[in-house]
Amino acid sequence: MEADPVVGRDVELAVLAEHLERARAGQPQVVLLEGAPGIGKSALVDRFLGSAPSVRLLRAGGEQAEELVPFGMAEQLAGRALDGEPPAVGAALVELIGGLARHGPVVVVLDDAHWADLPSIQAVVFALRRLGTDPVLTLVVTREHADQRIARLRNLAAGSGGRRLRLTGLDVDGLVELGEAMGAGRLPGRAARRLHAHTGGVPLHARALFEEVDADGLRAMDVPLPSPTSFSLLVLGRLAECPPPARRLVVAAAVLGDRCPIDVALRLAGEADMAAVDAVVAAKLLTPAPPGTLRFPHALVRTAVLHDLDVAERLALHARAAELLDDRGAVLTQRVAAAAGRDTGLAVELEQWAGELAARGEPAAAASRLIQAAALQEDPREREGCLLRAVELLVLAGDTEHAGSLATDVDACRPSARRSYTQALLEFAAGRPADAEVPLLAAWAAGGTDRALRATIAERLCHVCYLQLRSPEAVEWGTRAAAENPRPATSLVTSMALAGRLQSSDVVDGEGLDAAVARGAQRLWTEDLAGARRDLTAAVAGLRRKGMFVSRLQALGYLALAEFRSGAWPDAVAHAEEAVSLARDADQLWTLARLHSYAAMPHAVLGDAEEAARHVRSAHEAATVTGLRLDTVSVAIAEANVAAARGDHSAVIAVLEPLARGGGGAAEPGVSTWPCLLADALLHLGRIAEAEAVLAPYERSATDRGRLLAQAAAGVVRGRLEAAEGRPDQAERAFRASITRSNGAGSDVGVLAGRAALGAFLRRAGRRRDAATELNAARAGLLRLGAGPQVARCDREIEACGLTPARGPAAGGRLTPRERCVARLVADGLSNPQVAAELIISLNTVEFHLRNVFSKLSVSSRAQLAARLR
């Protein structure tokens, strides 16, 4: 069938061509095409693609009937079934698009994106954000004023390398050109202006008039044009001219949906046959679409046909369609459309189907069925139950806008544990977890015999209290949750640590991934760093294999923290950066304050001051949004570590003194050593009594709890404090005790910190030979770990001893965080495809970063790179 002519769009076509050229140059582009229905968005895309040679095309379209089918649009792009969380599906799309992009530019077209299912949009956005240097142009075609789900794609287009292109109606000259292209001749100016006022320049309406009205009628100013009342009259007029079998076929197709199988439409139409198909295609009322289906050329055509149907006729046709279809979901859709009032039997079937959809991992589709069931239920209690479960599923699916739109209906339900729990979920979904506490407490007080619900309520209360650093209450709720439904809970483990109730012997049982994360946290907080890294590394690998990217965030964050404390700082940077990237791309913004904090600290000790400061700024911004006490404390500790690395003692005090006044939220020394940072900064500024007041309680707690690493950190500060008080013997004993404890805990980084502090003390005591021995040993180890700022301090102390520090090899160019991640994995022996899969980036992007790494580090092989990083 001949394509509709495209006129008056030269500027828009030039813009699209410009963005394609940028994509060819390795700068991925996203262009959002917005406009009213019928404005010519899809026609413009088709014209552009026809003039864009040597591109590979991936195209998918949203349909209103399928907007709750999870990954419907993503599966169209991939050409196969997809499942898992949106980031997992997004990773599959990265692999697909990146593979195509190795052979030339790729154009990804998302038609009618306003009808796309939310999981597909989440997956596509995740993928597009991770196309670093791939020649990819993405065209998002959507109506104006589309709902919130399009905001993710709109934000991408508004960012760097993107464009938001609004299509408006054709001007008068454009309509004249369109008329000539359609064989209506050249309209005189007055007639063209009348046509423009009549159609608003909408190409769909104008084309319909050019097809319906002859040339004389268009020019006759005394004869009124047919009224395109929302385009309907023109469509219905065209339909009326068709023979009866063809009319019945169009009506049947409208009842079946935007797209339908030809054989089913013919059966529903009754006497219609393939001749009727030819007739409706010729009338441009339906369009053939493979395989063996018909679709409407525009949604407005179907709308016009449906709205013209008598209600009784439409209900009867929906009922008949339900008898002809085989797919259970499609049958239920038709039966719902055929229902003229309450239907408890149908509502029960919808609830059962919703349960199966939820079990299959399709929460959005399950929620849609429950909302339909609620409308059909006779019993008000059953109706409310369907609504509340639907809202829970919408929150689970990430469709917070739809869930929030039902808040008033939730509030109108009868008081119950589930209603209060659902109200709490809506607070979480709106980014107000602190406000969830009141409805959660009401849910718990409402009681009930549903142990699974009670366990879930208690777990949420544990989480709320933990986020606000109300540790004893968090432990109490976590314990209640475990009594109702025993399972490993990382939030309970961490709450116990914050409350000072976690023992080294409290090793979490279980074989699952949740147990591995909880066990890793337990070992992290009780100073078994090697065990923590082992458990958390296994958990990250297992979660990665299962495609559970969102669940990896906590495990990656804790792993980065364990590596930071172990002195494995490049690994800590790599894992923290990976977690930040995943959280941002998967829209898990509530985790960002802590993850940015974890990333800032290893950057600081490695001397990446700019990167450390950037992460601190981002952590502050995220914490401001959440307003959570846990985030505020996490950011303060990270900021203090960054300030300490650059020797800014006043900044350390300014950040940590408020924590000291507020208790800092931790009764477990293994959770943080921030009191040592504060006491040390106070000492440097001569505030000895204040330093003693901060340090002594921490020392007692560390001793009482048997935390060797905490005692070692405190011992370094104790040594400096004793020296400041004029007690050199006690100072030296404190330094050497710190080194002994770090040795006993297997902490090389603790030993190095102790020897550097001891060396500085001995140098000031005039024992330069002994000082040089300690300082050179510390310097060699710190240089090996890459601790630039600490090495520089050792150098200054060694020079003060009258010696010249040994110089290491030149550092070469500074690697970016992404380059460091790629380099680390390559040095570990991974192939380029394995690195791409690990970091969820394309093979092109891996190769791009690896070339930069080789150039900056002046190496020419993977073996040299591994040796250089070692």
Side-chain angles (χ1 to χ4, degrees), residues 4 535 843:
D4 291 323
D535 284 327
L843 197 54

Side-chain angles (χ1 to χ4, degrees), residues 728 759-768:
F761 163 75
L762 293 174
R763 197 268 301 172
R764 286 168 176 76
R767 296 161 59 184
R768 294 188 176 186

Side-chain angles (χ1 to χ4, degrees), residues 374-394:
L376 293 169
Q377 269 289 0
E378 294 277 3
D379 186 339
R381 292 186 182 278
E382 295 293 335
R383 195 156 55 241
E384 292 174 358
C386 290
L387 171 68
L388 296 174
R389 293 199 301 278
V391 173
E392 290 180 44
L393 288 166
L394 287 171

Side-chain angles (χ1 to χ4, degrees), residues 44-62:
L44 173 66
V45 170
D46 290 339
R47 170 70 178 277
F48 167 68
L49 292 173
S51 63
S54 305
V55 299
R56 286 154 179 80
L57 177 64
L58 287 175
R59 190 165 193 166

Side-chain angles (χ1 to χ4, degrees), residues 575-588:
H575 285 126
E577 294 281 1
E578 181 184 351
V580 167
S581 175
L582 282 172
R584 185 182 63 249
D585 295 346
D587 289 323
Q588 300 298 306

Side-chain angles (χ1 to χ4, degrees), residues 294-311:
L294 292 170
R295 66 175 177 84
F296 286 92
H298 197 281
L300 292 178
V301 177
R302 179 180 178 232
T303 299
V305 175
L306 274 180
H307 284 181
D308 190 55
L309 280 179
D310 176 79
V311 172

Side-chain angles (χ1 to χ4, degrees), residues 131-143:
L131 298 175
T133 59
D134 299 276
V136 178
L137 169 63
T138 302
L139 303 179
V140 181
V141 184
T142 181
R143 291 181 183 177

Side-chain angles (χ1 to χ4, degrees), residues 437 440-441 444 455 457-463 465 470 472-482 492:
E437 183 174 4
L440 283 172
L441 289 171
W444 181 263
I457 293 168
E459 286 173 2
R460 286 281 182 177
L461 281 163
C462 172
H463 194 203
C465 294
R470 289 157 43 195
E473 295 171 73
V475 172
E476 180 181 350
W477 285 114
T479 303
R480 290 181 180 178
L492 174 58

